[in-house]
Amino acid sequence: MEEAPTVQRSTQSVEKGRSRHKIPRDVETDIAYLYEVLPQLSDIFRIIDKIGEGTFSSVYLAEAQMTDGSRRMFALKHLIPTSHPVRIAAELQCLTVAGGTENVMGVTYCFRKEHHVVIVMPYMEHQTFVDIVGSLSFEDVKHYIFHLLKALRHIHKFGIIHRDIKPTNFLFNQQRREYSLVDFGLAQGTPDTQIELLKELLGLDKAPRSVFGEKNVNSTNSHKPGTDKVEGLLLKPKKEEVIPRKIVSSKHRSIPVRTPLNQRQKAPAESQKPKPSAVSPMLTCNCFMTDRVCNICLSRKQQVAPRAGTPGFRAPEVLTKCPNQGTAIDMWSAGVIMLSLLSGRYPFFKASDDLIALTQIMTIRGSKETIEAAKTFGKSIVCSRELPRLDLRILCETLRGVRSWEDASLPAEFQASRNPAEVKQDAGSPAKKHMSSGSFKNIAELQEMGWDKVPDDVYDLLDKLLDLNPATRITASMALQHPLFKDMTN
């Protein structure tokens, strides 16, 4: 990590900064609280604003004066006090070992007092994805996906599974074409991960030791004992504390997802008798083709598998609680981002629970294909009706406005989501304006942005990223060798 920045603060400079930037009272309260719990911050940083807030942390924008007299902006990530010690240390180690290069955010410094931890990172000015997703040119989208894949290739080399790939975690500066993958708070390791603390979370390292082991991740950096750097920050947790929590399924589902029969927990004797079914005599439950889950299915042993991630970006193997999850789940999420970029629709998937999310995936990729893919990783899915696989080019071009809705013949699910203005526009000539992400664009504008000449290679890569089978889903390294990027430097 870099040497901690220094700043000469004064009441006058702070008041001057506040006058330039009016912040809400609740944010002022949060900033005052942060200064209170970590007083050492006030000696270095002038915290300007809160720029992000999530379940596990809050992010603040701060300014500091460097030793050479220059002033720099930093992002201060304040982790919630209830975060698990090993989880915090693992995030720091991911940033320290893999960050700072290949479009991956690095760490500058770390402060700690008691159970409060703040990670200091360089601040990268960026645009909000939802504001630009419909206005990017095809060339912009191509570069965005290329650099996202570079970041994924880099962290996957270290055996890091990010587990929360989404646009808000991949910062993008459109003018400078700068990119940065952030937030490793949910990261996990592959069996051969190089990140020692991710092994700790996997339970692979059974030997008792300190959190950072014999060799500290910052051992190459000179530091003094007793400073607020990462070393010796946290204690090793008890074994049972790092076991993923069980997820209790909802009782009201439209499409039951079941494990193979030989993995089910034994139900009471009277419930084990097969119920007559005109569809399949092999099913032992009575909720098939209904809108509920029966007591037999509810009595099954709960399956424990990682489910971390953001709804709408979770891969099929995550939604079905497959225990063996790897870097392929990050590639699926990258595919969902690419789907949004090509269609101009964000978020593309929006579901209230995992089974609805799985249904939405079936709507795009086909129910038969999803069921067959699930079998490859030991899951059995039952769908009440067959959903055809969609042509990704037709889907994206229609949603973006390059193709007429009348020519697309998309399912009712997509027709129902159309804005009334789109329907009105399609009532006229196909050459007239079409709707894309809430703003009207005529054909000339779409042509100028390159959306009328998108090569087939784009949809071939999208198809490979959205491969329902994680075993055959394209890797980041393979994706960067795809013909789509033949004119770009890896």
Side-chain angles (χ1 to χ4, degrees):
M1 293 188 294
E2 300 176 15
E3 181 183 355
T6 61
V7 63
Q8 298 175 347
R9 298 178 72 251
S10 67
T11 305
Q12 183 179 3
S13 65
V14 172
E15 293 302 323
K16 184 178 179 181
R18 287 180 177 173
S19 65
R20 291 196 306 264
H21 180 77
K22 183 65 176 177
I23 59 177
R25 185 170 294 273
D26 60 333
V27 174
E28 284 186 336
T29 302
D30 291 343
I31 292 174
Y33 174 72
L34 188 56
Y35 278 136
E36 179 184 346
V37 297
L38 282 161
Q40 59 266 54
L41 292 177
S42 62
D43 297 328
I44 299 176
F45 297 102
R46 178 173 65 86
I47 303 177
I48 299 171
D49 200 358
K50 178 187 277 190
I51 56 176
E53 187 170 19
T55 306
F56 306 104
S57 63
S58 296
V59 182
Y60 297 85
L61 176 64
E63 183 183 56
Q65 182 174 308
M66 309 307 292
T67 53
D68 62 0
S70 64
R71 305 188 75 83
R72 283 177 55 185
M73 307 301 290
F74 293 90
L76 310 184
K77 182 175 181 178
H78 180 212
L79 304 177
I80 62 169
T82 55
S83 297
H84 196 287
V86 171
R87 171 54 61 196
I88 296 172
E91 179 176 3
L92 281 166
Q93 197 173 44
C94 287
L95 291 167
T96 304
V97 175
T101 185
E102 294 292 306
N103 303 322
V104 180
M105 179 61 73
V107 58
T108 303
Y109 207 71
C110 179
F111 291 88
R112 176 214 173 194
K113 182 180 179 183
E114 298 175 345
H115 52 279
H116 288 279
V117 177
V118 165
I119 301 175
V120 181
M121 296 167 286
Y123 172 69
M124 175 181 161
E125 188 176 354
H126 58 279
Q127 286 78 44
T128 304
F129 188 83
V130 69
D131 294 335
I132 62 172
V133 62
S135 61
L136 296 176
S137 69
F138 168 66
E139 197 64 22
D140 287 334
V141 168
K142 180 178 173 181
H143 277 80
Y144 182 102
I145 294 299
F146 176 78
H147 287 282
L148 173 58
L149 292 171
K150 283 187 71 173
L152 292 179
R153 178 181 64 180
H154 182 65
I155 66 170
H156 291 171
K157 282 181 180 179
F158 288 93
I160 301 172
I161 309 170
H162 187 280
R163 293 204 66 89
D164 199 18
I165 297 298
K166 57 183 177 181
T168 52
N169 282 341
F170 190 60
L171 309 183
F172 171 45
N173 187 306
Q174 185 177 6
Q175 287 72 34
R176 301 189 196 125
R177 277 195 175 162
E178 293 178 349
Y179 312 83
S180 189
L181 181 62
V182 301
D183 197 350
F184 288 79
L186 297 177
Q188 290 185 328
T190 59
D192 59 347
T193 181
Q194 298 177 38
I195 309 300
E196 291 300 318
L197 289 173
L198 293 183
K199 291 181 183 180
E200 192 82 22
L201 292 174
L202 282 171
L204 296 180
D205 189 353
K206 305 296 183 182
R209 58 177 177 81
S210 65
V211 168
F212 286 91
E214 296 298 324
K215 183 178 180 181
N216 186 267
V217 294
N218 301 307
S219 59
T220 56
N221 298 79
S222 60
H223 61 275
K224 297 179 181 180
T227 61
D228 289 305
K229 291 192 178 182
V230 184
E231 183 179 19
L233 176 63
L234 305 161
L235 299 177
K236 183 178 178 181
K238 296 179 181 179
K239 179 180 178 182
E240 62 270 19
E241 291 177 336
V242 297
I243 299 176
R245 65 184 178 88
K246 293 185 178 180
I247 307 299
V248 181
S249 301
S250 171
K251 293 184 179 180
H252 302 286
R253 307 290 190 187
S254 57
I255 299 181
V257 176
R258 304 182 178 87
T259 52
L261 298 178
N262 59 6
Q263 294 183 15
R264 296 186 178 180
Q265 185 183 41
K266 292 184 179 180
E270 62 273 15
S271 301
Q272 289 183 335
K273 296 179 181 180
K275 301 289 183 180
S277 171
V279 180
S280 173
M282 296 297 293
L283 293 175
T284 60
C285 69
N286 57 13
C287 60
F288 178 64
M289 298 289 284
T290 69
D291 60 353
R292 65 189 184 89
V293 180
C294 69
N295 290 333
I296 295 176
C297 287
L298 289 174
S299 68
R300 288 181 297 143
K301 183 178 180 181
Q302 291 182 355
Q303 295 177 305
V304 179
R307 288 181 66 257
T310 299
F313 294 91
R314 293 187 182 120
E317 62 269 31
V318 177
L319 297 174
T320 54
K321 296 184 180 179
C322 176
N324 299 318
Q325 299 174 17
T327 55
I329 67 173
D330 289 344
M331 302 308 294
W332 173 273
S333 301
V336 175
I337 294 175
M338 188 175 184
L339 187 59
S340 279
L341 288 167
L342 293 175
S343 65
R345 297 297 174 98
Y346 176 75
F348 197 94
F349 296 119
K350 191 173 184 180
S352 57
D353 63 49
D354 287 353
L355 292 183
I356 292 177
L358 196 58
T359 306
Q360 292 177 345
I361 290 174
M362 288 184 184
T363 305
I364 304 293
R365 305 301 281 159
S367 56
K368 181 180 177 181
E369 291 82 354
T370 306
I371 292 169
E372 289 300 313
K375 289 180 181 177
T376 65
F377 48 86
K379 296 295 177 178
S380 178
I381 300 175
V382 178
C383 186
S384 58
R385 66 186 177 93
E386 186 171 346
L387 300 169
R389 183 186 181 113
L390 298 185
D391 184 296
L392 293 173
R393 175 183 280 277
I394 292 175
L395 173 66
C396 293
E397 288 184 348
T398 304
L399 293 176
R400 183 165 281 279
V402 177
R403 186 185 295 262
S404 170
W405 281 87
E406 278 69 20
D407 298 335
S409 301
L410 292 179
E413 289 85 353
F414 290 98
Q415 294 286 348
S417 68
R418 296 177 66 190
N419 187 295
E422 292 180 282
V423 179
K424 183 177 180 181
Q425 289 296 328
D426 272 343
S429 167
K432 290 184 178 181
K433 291 181 179 179
H434 288 265
M435 186 78 161
S436 178
S437 297
S439 60
F440 286 101
K441 296 181 183 297
N442 58 35
I443 297 300
E445 288 175 320
L446 291 169
Q447 290 174 343
E448 183 179 352
M449 297 169 69
W451 288 110
D452 61 324
K453 297 179 181 178
V454 176
D456 291 337
D457 286 338
V458 172
Y459 296 103
D460 178 72
L461 176 58
L462 178 61
D463 181 68
K464 288 178 167 60
L465 288 169
L466 295 179
D467 188 338
L468 294 159
N469 184 353
T472 55
R473 193 175 301 149
I474 195 169
T475 66
S477 296
M478 293 169 56
L480 287 168
Q481 301 301 319
H482 193 275
L484 175 64
F485 305 121
K486 61 184 177 183
D487 58 338
M488 302 181 74
T489 303
N490 287 323

